[in-house]
PDB file of all heavy atoms in Angstrom:
ATOM      1  N   THR A 245       3.298 -20.912   6.614  1.00  0.00           N
ATOM      2  CA  THR A 245       2.094 -20.398   5.954  1.00  0.00           C
ATOM      3  C   THR A 245       1.372 -19.369   6.821  1.00  0.00           C
ATOM      4  O   THR A 245       0.984 -18.294   6.358  1.00  0.00           O
ATOM      5  CB  THR A 245       1.145 -21.563   5.625  1.00  0.00           C
ATOM      6  OG1 THR A 245       1.806 -22.458   4.723  1.00  0.00           O
ATOM      7  CG2 THR A 245      -0.138 -21.062   4.990  1.00  0.00           C
ATOM      8  N   PHE A 246       1.203 -19.661   8.107  1.00  0.00           N
ATOM      9  CA  PHE A 246       0.469 -18.763   8.981  1.00  0.00           C
ATOM     10  C   PHE A 246       1.290 -17.546   9.394  1.00  0.00           C
ATOM     11  O   PHE A 246       0.734 -16.492   9.692  1.00  0.00           O
ATOM     12  CB  PHE A 246       0.008 -19.515  10.240  1.00  0.00           C
ATOM     13  CG  PHE A 246      -1.283 -20.261  10.051  1.00  0.00           C
ATOM     14  CD1 PHE A 246      -1.294 -21.515   9.455  1.00  0.00           C
ATOM     15  CD2 PHE A 246      -2.477 -19.717  10.464  1.00  0.00           C
ATOM     16  CE1 PHE A 246      -2.479 -22.205   9.273  1.00  0.00           C
ATOM     17  CE2 PHE A 246      -3.674 -20.392  10.288  1.00  0.00           C
ATOM     18  CZ  PHE A 246      -3.671 -21.646   9.688  1.00  0.00           C
ATOM     19  N   SER A 247       2.606 -17.675   9.415  1.00  0.00           N
ATOM     20  CA  SER A 247       3.451 -16.581   9.904  1.00  0.00           C
ATOM     21  C   SER A 247       3.629 -15.465   8.894  1.00  0.00           C
ATOM     22  O   SER A 247       3.775 -14.296   9.278  1.00  0.00           O
ATOM     23  CB  SER A 247       4.828 -17.124  10.308  1.00  0.00           C
ATOM     24  OG  SER A 247       4.716 -18.005  11.386  1.00  0.00           O
ATOM     25  N   LEU A 248       3.627 -15.778   7.599  1.00  0.00           N
ATOM     26  CA  LEU A 248       3.939 -14.775   6.577  1.00  0.00           C
ATOM     27  C   LEU A 248       2.751 -14.439   5.676  1.00  0.00           C
ATOM     28  O   LEU A 248       2.935 -13.831   4.616  1.00  0.00           O
ATOM     29  CB  LEU A 248       5.109 -15.261   5.706  1.00  0.00           C
ATOM     30  CG  LEU A 248       6.418 -15.596   6.414  1.00  0.00           C
ATOM     31  CD1 LEU A 248       7.505 -15.918   5.401  1.00  0.00           C
ATOM     32  CD2 LEU A 248       6.868 -14.458   7.307  1.00  0.00           C
ATOM     33  N   ALA A 249       1.548 -14.796   6.066  1.00  0.00           N
ATOM     34  CA  ALA A 249       0.385 -14.576   5.197  1.00  0.00           C
ATOM     35  C   ALA A 249      -0.165 -13.162   5.264  1.00  0.00           C
ATOM     36  O   ALA A 249      -1.171 -12.860   4.634  1.00  0.00           O
ATOM     37  CB  ALA A 249      -0.722 -15.582   5.553  1.00  0.00           C
ATOM     38  N   GLN A 250       0.494 -12.277   6.033  1.00  0.00           N
ATOM     39  CA  GLN A 250       0.016 -10.903   6.128  1.00  0.00           C
ATOM     40  C   GLN A 250       0.706 -10.013   5.086  1.00  0.00           C
ATOM     41  O   GLN A 250       1.657 -10.411   4.425  1.00  0.00           O
ATOM     42  CB  GLN A 250       0.258 -10.347   7.530  1.00  0.00           C
ATOM     43  CG  GLN A 250       1.687  -9.939   7.838  1.00  0.00           C
ATOM     44  CD  GLN A 250       2.635 -11.082   7.991  1.00  0.00           C
ATOM     45  OE1 GLN A 250       3.629 -11.179   7.281  1.00  0.00           O
ATOM     46  NE2 GLN A 250       2.359 -12.013   8.909  1.00  0.00           N
ATOM     47  N   VAL A 251       0.222  -8.781   4.960  1.00  0.00           N
ATOM     48  CA  VAL A 251       0.897  -7.755   4.161  1.00  0.00           C
ATOM     49  C   VAL A 251       1.817  -6.995   5.098  1.00  0.00           C
ATOM     50  O   VAL A 251       1.431  -6.697   6.234  1.00  0.00           O
ATOM     51  CB  VAL A 251      -0.113  -6.799   3.495  1.00  0.00           C
ATOM     52  CG1 VAL A 251       0.597  -5.847   2.543  1.00  0.00           C
ATOM     53  CG2 VAL A 251      -1.180  -7.597   2.749  1.00  0.00           C
ATOM     54  N   GLY A 252       3.037  -6.663   4.645  1.00  0.00           N
ATOM     55  CA  GLY A 252       4.050  -6.123   5.543  1.00  0.00           C
ATOM     56  C   GLY A 252       4.143  -4.613   5.596  1.00  0.00           C
ATOM     57  O   GLY A 252       3.450  -3.895   4.872  1.00  0.00           O
ATOM     58  N   GLU A 253       5.064  -4.147   6.470  1.00  0.00           N
ATOM     59  CA  GLU A 253       5.210  -2.714   6.698  1.00  0.00           C
ATOM     60  C   GLU A 253       5.733  -1.955   5.473  1.00  0.00           C
ATOM     61  O   GLU A 253       5.430  -0.770   5.281  1.00  0.00           O
ATOM     62  CB  GLU A 253       6.138  -2.451   7.896  1.00  0.00           C
ATOM     63  CG  GLU A 253       7.491  -3.114   7.819  1.00  0.00           C
ATOM     64  CD  GLU A 253       7.481  -4.523   8.381  1.00  0.00           C
ATOM     65  OE1 GLU A 253       6.416  -4.994   8.819  1.00  0.00           O
ATOM     66  OE2 GLU A 253       8.547  -5.152   8.378  1.00  0.00           O
ATOM     67  N   PHE A 254       6.498  -2.624   4.610  1.00  0.00           N
ATOM     68  CA  PHE A 254       6.994  -1.937   3.419  1.00  0.00           C
ATOM     69  C   PHE A 254       5.862  -1.619   2.437  1.00  0.00           C
ATOM     70  O   PHE A 254       6.027  -0.790   1.538  1.00  0.00           O
ATOM     71  CB  PHE A 254       8.069  -2.764   2.724  1.00  0.00           C
ATOM     72  CG  PHE A 254       9.409  -2.670   3.391  1.00  0.00           C
ATOM     73  CD1 PHE A 254       9.984  -3.784   3.990  1.00  0.00           C
ATOM     74  CD2 PHE A 254      10.103  -1.474   3.429  1.00  0.00           C
ATOM     75  CE1 PHE A 254      11.215  -3.696   4.623  1.00  0.00           C
ATOM     76  CE2 PHE A 254      11.338  -1.379   4.063  1.00  0.00           C
ATOM     77  CZ  PHE A 254      11.892  -2.490   4.658  1.00  0.00           C
ATOM     78  N   ALA A 255       4.711  -2.262   2.614  1.00  0.00           N
ATOM     79  CA  ALA A 255       3.555  -1.940   1.774  1.00  0.00           C
ATOM     80  C   ALA A 255       3.096  -0.504   2.004  1.00  0.00           C
ATOM     81  O   ALA A 255       2.622   0.165   1.079  1.00  0.00           O
ATOM     82  CB  ALA A 255       2.409  -2.909   2.059  1.00  0.00           C
ATOM     83  N   PHE A 256       3.237  -0.001   3.258  1.00  0.00           N
ATOM     84  CA  PHE A 256       2.899   1.396   3.523  1.00  0.00           C
ATOM     85  C   PHE A 256       3.715   2.329   2.631  1.00  0.00           C
ATOM     86  O   PHE A 256       3.213   3.312   2.100  1.00  0.00           O
ATOM     87  CB  PHE A 256       3.154   1.739   5.000  1.00  0.00           C
ATOM     88  CG  PHE A 256       2.222   1.067   5.964  1.00  0.00           C
ATOM     89  CD1 PHE A 256       2.706   0.181   6.909  1.00  0.00           C
ATOM     90  CD2 PHE A 256       0.858   1.322   5.941  1.00  0.00           C
ATOM     91  CE1 PHE A 256       1.856  -0.442   7.813  1.00  0.00           C
ATOM     92  CE2 PHE A 256      -0.005   0.710   6.834  1.00  0.00           C
ATOM     93  CZ  PHE A 256       0.498  -0.181   7.764  1.00  0.00           C
ATOM     94  N   VAL A 257       5.018   1.997   2.494  1.00  0.00           N
ATOM     95  CA  VAL A 257       5.916   2.830   1.676  1.00  0.00           C
ATOM     96  C   VAL A 257       5.511   2.761   0.208  1.00  0.00           C
ATOM     97  O   VAL A 257       5.382   3.789  -0.469  1.00  0.00           O
ATOM     98  CB  VAL A 257       7.371   2.368   1.866  1.00  0.00           C
ATOM     99  CG1 VAL A 257       8.309   3.193   0.984  1.00  0.00           C
ATOM    100  CG2 VAL A 257       7.789   2.460   3.322  1.00  0.00           C
ATOM    101  N   LEU A 258       5.310   1.550  -0.317  1.00  0.00           N
ATOM    102  CA  LEU A 258       4.978   1.382  -1.733  1.00  0.00           C
ATOM    103  C   LEU A 258       3.633   2.012  -2.084  1.00  0.00           C
ATOM    104  O   LEU A 258       3.485   2.670  -3.128  1.00  0.00           O
ATOM    105  CB  LEU A 258       4.967  -0.105  -2.092  1.00  0.00           C
ATOM    106  CG  LEU A 258       6.326  -0.803  -2.179  1.00  0.00           C
ATOM    107  CD1 LEU A 258       6.142  -2.289  -2.436  1.00  0.00           C
ATOM    108  CD2 LEU A 258       7.179  -0.196  -3.278  1.00  0.00           C
ATOM    109  N   LEU A 259       2.641   1.812  -1.229  1.00  0.00           N
ATOM    110  CA  LEU A 259       1.304   2.356  -1.504  1.00  0.00           C
ATOM    111  C   LEU A 259       1.310   3.887  -1.477  1.00  0.00           C
ATOM    112  O   LEU A 259       0.692   4.536  -2.326  1.00  0.00           O
ATOM    113  CB  LEU A 259       0.299   1.806  -0.497  1.00  0.00           C
ATOM    114  CG  LEU A 259       0.013   0.298  -0.594  1.00  0.00           C
ATOM    115  CD1 LEU A 259      -0.783  -0.178   0.612  1.00  0.00           C
ATOM    116  CD2 LEU A 259      -0.737  -0.028  -1.888  1.00  0.00           C
ATOM    117  N   SER A 260       2.024   4.466  -0.487  1.00  0.00           N
ATOM    118  CA  SER A 260       2.105   5.925  -0.411  1.00  0.00           C
ATOM    119  C   SER A 260       2.841   6.490  -1.620  1.00  0.00           C
ATOM    120  O   SER A 260       2.452   7.525  -2.181  1.00  0.00           O
ATOM    121  CB  SER A 260       2.812   6.345   0.880  1.00  0.00           C
ATOM    122  OG  SER A 260       2.105   5.898   2.005  1.00  0.00           O
ATOM    123  N   PHE A 261       3.903   5.820  -2.041  1.00  0.00           N
ATOM    124  CA  PHE A 261       4.664   6.247  -3.214  1.00  0.00           C
ATOM    125  C   PHE A 261       3.796   6.167  -4.468  1.00  0.00           C
ATOM    126  O   PHE A 261       3.788   7.076  -5.315  1.00  0.00           O
ATOM    127  CB  PHE A 261       5.918   5.387  -3.343  1.00  0.00           C
ATOM    128  CG  PHE A 261       6.873   5.841  -4.417  1.00  0.00           C
ATOM    129  CD1 PHE A 261       6.860   7.139  -4.902  1.00  0.00           C
ATOM    130  CD2 PHE A 261       7.800   4.952  -4.937  1.00  0.00           C
ATOM    131  CE1 PHE A 261       7.749   7.552  -5.886  1.00  0.00           C
ATOM    132  CE2 PHE A 261       8.688   5.352  -5.919  1.00  0.00           C
ATOM    133  CZ  PHE A 261       8.666   6.655  -6.397  1.00  0.00           C
ATOM    134  N   ALA A 262       3.034   5.075  -4.596  1.00  0.00           N
ATOM    135  CA  ALA A 262       2.153   4.917  -5.757  1.00  0.00           C
ATOM    136  C   ALA A 262       1.075   6.003  -5.781  1.00  0.00           C
ATOM    137  O   ALA A 262       0.686   6.488  -6.852  1.00  0.00           O
ATOM    138  CB  ALA A 262       1.507   3.534  -5.734  1.00  0.00           C
ATOM    139  N   PHE A 263       0.598   6.399  -4.603  1.00  0.00           N
ATOM    140  CA  PHE A 263      -0.387   7.482  -4.537  1.00  0.00           C
ATOM    141  C   PHE A 263       0.237   8.809  -4.967  1.00  0.00           C
ATOM    142  O   PHE A 263      -0.386   9.608  -5.697  1.00  0.00           O
ATOM    143  CB  PHE A 263      -0.950   7.581  -3.122  1.00  0.00           C
ATOM    144  CG  PHE A 263      -1.879   8.742  -2.908  1.00  0.00           C
ATOM    145  CD1 PHE A 263      -3.137   8.769  -3.501  1.00  0.00           C
ATOM    146  CD2 PHE A 263      -1.488   9.832  -2.136  1.00  0.00           C
ATOM    147  CE1 PHE A 263      -3.992   9.843  -3.312  1.00  0.00           C
ATOM    148  CE2 PHE A 263      -2.333  10.911  -1.950  1.00  0.00           C
ATOM    149  CZ  PHE A 263      -3.586  10.917  -2.537  1.00  0.00           C
ATOM    150  N   GLN A 264       1.456   9.078  -4.525  1.00  0.00           N
ATOM    151  CA  GLN A 264       2.145  10.305  -4.910  1.00  0.00           C
ATOM    152  C   GLN A 264       2.394  10.364  -6.421  1.00  0.00           C
ATOM    153  O   GLN A 264       2.408  11.447  -7.013  1.00  0.00           O
ATOM    154  CB  GLN A 264       3.473  10.415  -4.155  1.00  0.00           C
ATOM    155  CG  GLN A 264       3.312  10.655  -2.672  1.00  0.00           C
ATOM    156  CD  GLN A 264       4.607  10.502  -1.908  1.00  0.00           C
ATOM    157  OE1 GLN A 264       5.657  10.233  -2.502  1.00  0.00           O
ATOM    158  NE2 GLN A 264       4.553  10.654  -0.600  1.00  0.00           N
ATOM    159  N   LEU A 265       2.565   9.205  -7.016  1.00  0.00           N
ATOM    160  CA  LEU A 265       2.784   9.132  -8.463  1.00  0.00           C
ATOM    161  C   LEU A 265       1.464   9.107  -9.241  1.00  0.00           C
ATOM    162  O   LEU A 265       1.467   8.907 -10.454  1.00  0.00           O
ATOM    163  CB  LEU A 265       3.605   7.880  -8.804  1.00  0.00           C
ATOM    164  CG  LEU A 265       5.045   7.857  -8.275  1.00  0.00           C
ATOM    165  CD1 LEU A 265       5.663   6.481  -8.495  1.00  0.00           C
ATOM    166  CD2 LEU A 265       5.889   8.927  -8.931  1.00  0.00           C
ATOM    167  N   ASN A 266       0.350   9.266  -8.523  1.00  0.00           N
ATOM    168  CA  ASN A 266      -0.986   9.272  -9.133  1.00  0.00           C
ATOM    169  C   ASN A 266      -1.341   7.941  -9.798  1.00  0.00           C
ATOM    170  O   ASN A 266      -2.147   7.899 -10.723  1.00  0.00           O
ATOM    171  CB  ASN A 266      -1.119  10.410 -10.160  1.00  0.00           C
ATOM    172  CG  ASN A 266      -1.044  11.771  -9.501  1.00  0.00           C
ATOM    173  OD1 ASN A 266      -1.698  12.026  -8.497  1.00  0.00           O
ATOM    174  ND2 ASN A 266      -0.219  12.648 -10.047  1.00  0.00           N
ATOM    175  N   ILE A 267      -0.735   6.856  -9.332  1.00  0.00           N
ATOM    176  CA  ILE A 267      -1.126   5.526  -9.805  1.00  0.00           C
ATOM    177  C   ILE A 267      -2.397   5.093  -9.080  1.00  0.00           C
ATOM    178  O   ILE A 267      -3.322   4.547  -9.682  1.00  0.00           O
ATOM    179  CB  ILE A 267       0.010   4.509  -9.559  1.00  0.00           C
ATOM    180  CG1 ILE A 267       1.267   4.915 -10.329  1.00  0.00           C
ATOM    181  CG2 ILE A 267      -0.417   3.107  -9.970  1.00  0.00           C
ATOM    182  CD1 ILE A 267       2.484   4.080  -9.998  1.00  0.00           C
ATOM    183  N   LEU A 268      -2.435   5.347  -7.768  1.00  0.00           N
ATOM    184  CA  LEU A 268      -3.598   4.997  -6.955  1.00  0.00           C
ATOM    185  C   LEU A 268      -4.433   6.233  -6.669  1.00  0.00           C
ATOM    186  O   LEU A 268      -3.892   7.339  -6.503  1.00  0.00           O
ATOM    187  CB  LEU A 268      -3.159   4.381  -5.623  1.00  0.00           C
ATOM    188  CG  LEU A 268      -2.342   3.089  -5.645  1.00  0.00           C
ATOM    189  CD1 LEU A 268      -2.048   2.657  -4.219  1.00  0.00           C
ATOM    190  CD2 LEU A 268      -3.064   1.999  -6.395  1.00  0.00           C
ATOM    191  N   GLU A 269      -5.744   6.044  -6.592  1.00  0.00           N
ATOM    192  CA  GLU A 269      -6.636   7.101  -6.141  1.00  0.00           C
ATOM    193  C   GLU A 269      -6.710   7.075  -4.612  1.00  0.00           C
ATOM    194  O   GLU A 269      -6.311   6.101  -3.969  1.00  0.00           O
ATOM    195  CB  GLU A 269      -8.024   6.900  -6.738  1.00  0.00           C
ATOM    196  CG  GLU A 269      -8.051   6.992  -8.255  1.00  0.00           C
ATOM    197  CD  GLU A 269      -9.434   6.709  -8.821  1.00  0.00           C
ATOM    198  OE1 GLU A 269     -10.346   6.419  -8.017  1.00  0.00           O
ATOM    199  OE2 GLU A 269      -9.595   6.774 -10.058  1.00  0.00           O
ATOM    200  N   GLN A 270      -7.252   8.148  -4.026  1.00  0.00           N
ATOM    201  CA  GLN A 270      -7.317   8.263  -2.569  1.00  0.00           C
ATOM    202  C   GLN A 270      -8.080   7.099  -1.950  1.00  0.00           C
ATOM    203  O   GLN A 270      -7.639   6.498  -0.964  1.00  0.00           O
ATOM    204  CB  GLN A 270      -7.990   9.576  -2.186  1.00  0.00           C
ATOM    205  CG  GLN A 270      -8.061   9.823  -0.681  1.00  0.00           C
ATOM    206  CD  GLN A 270      -6.714  10.115  -0.075  1.00  0.00           C
ATOM    207  OE1 GLN A 270      -6.010  11.003  -0.532  1.00  0.00           O
ATOM    208  NE2 GLN A 270      -6.341   9.373   0.958  1.00  0.00           N
ATOM    209  N   GLU A 271      -9.227   6.753  -2.508  1.00  0.00           N
ATOM    210  CA  GLU A 271     -10.044   5.665  -1.954  1.00  0.00           C
ATOM    211  C   GLU A 271      -9.318   4.330  -2.025  1.00  0.00           C
ATOM    212  O   GLU A 271      -9.345   3.538  -1.074  1.00  0.00           O
ATOM    213  CB  GLU A 271     -11.369   5.574  -2.715  1.00  0.00           C
ATOM    214  CG  GLU A 271     -12.311   4.506  -2.152  1.00  0.00           C
ATOM    215  CD  GLU A 271     -13.593   4.396  -2.948  1.00  0.00           C
ATOM    216  OE1 GLU A 271     -13.735   5.114  -3.963  1.00  0.00           O
ATOM    217  OE2 GLU A 271     -14.451   3.585  -2.560  1.00  0.00           O
ATOM    218  N   GLN A 272      -8.646   4.072  -3.159  1.00  0.00           N
ATOM    219  CA  GLN A 272      -7.904   2.822  -3.319  1.00  0.00           C
ATOM    220  C   GLN A 272      -6.778   2.731  -2.294  1.00  0.00           C
ATOM    221  O   GLN A 272      -6.564   1.675  -1.681  1.00  0.00           O
ATOM    222  CB  GLN A 272      -7.343   2.732  -4.738  1.00  0.00           C
ATOM    223  CG  GLN A 272      -8.408   2.589  -5.810  1.00  0.00           C
ATOM    224  CD  GLN A 272      -7.839   2.780  -7.204  1.00  0.00           C
ATOM    225  OE1 GLN A 272      -6.802   3.406  -7.390  1.00  0.00           O
ATOM    226  NE2 GLN A 272      -8.546   2.246  -8.208  1.00  0.00           N
ATOM    227  N   MET A 273      -6.058   3.830  -2.095  1.00  0.00           N
ATOM    228  CA  MET A 273      -4.972   3.805  -1.120  1.00  0.00           C
ATOM    229  C   MET A 273      -5.508   3.607   0.292  1.00  0.00           C
ATOM    230  O   MET A 273      -4.955   2.822   1.078  1.00  0.00           O
ATOM    231  CB  MET A 273      -4.162   5.096  -1.191  1.00  0.00           C
ATOM    232  CG  MET A 273      -2.914   5.037  -0.293  1.00  0.00           C
ATOM    233  SD  MET A 273      -2.013   6.586  -0.155  1.00  0.00           S
ATOM    234  CE  MET A 273      -3.133   7.534   0.854  1.00  0.00           C
ATOM    235  N   ASP A 274      -6.589   4.298   0.658  1.00  0.00           N
ATOM    236  CA  ASP A 274      -7.155   4.158   2.000  1.00  0.00           C
ATOM    237  C   ASP A 274      -7.566   2.711   2.279  1.00  0.00           C
ATOM    238  O   ASP A 274      -7.293   2.171   3.361  1.00  0.00           O
ATOM    239  CB  ASP A 274      -8.371   5.074   2.154  1.00  0.00           C
ATOM    240  CG  ASP A 274      -7.985   6.549   2.236  1.00  0.00           C
ATOM    241  OD1 ASP A 274      -6.791   6.821   2.508  1.00  0.00           O
ATOM    242  OD2 ASP A 274      -8.853   7.406   2.017  1.00  0.00           O
ATOM    243  N   ILE A 275      -8.202   2.080   1.309  1.00  0.00           N
ATOM    244  CA  ILE A 275      -8.638   0.690   1.482  1.00  0.00           C
ATOM    245  C   ILE A 275      -7.439  -0.229   1.678  1.00  0.00           C
ATOM    246  O   ILE A 275      -7.420  -1.070   2.589  1.00  0.00           O
ATOM    247  CB  ILE A 275      -9.488   0.239   0.268  1.00  0.00           C
ATOM    248  CG1 ILE A 275     -10.842   0.928   0.286  1.00  0.00           C
ATOM    249  CG2 ILE A 275      -9.662  -1.286   0.281  1.00  0.00           C
ATOM    250  CD1 ILE A 275     -11.696   0.641  -0.934  1.00  0.00           C
TER     251      ILE A 275
END
């Protein structure tokens, strides 16, 4: 439970991709 409760490095890839696809706004991605 304690070891995997974080968000991982692949989230950087998915979030950046979602921003490029205009799914996320700049503020949402930054947060």
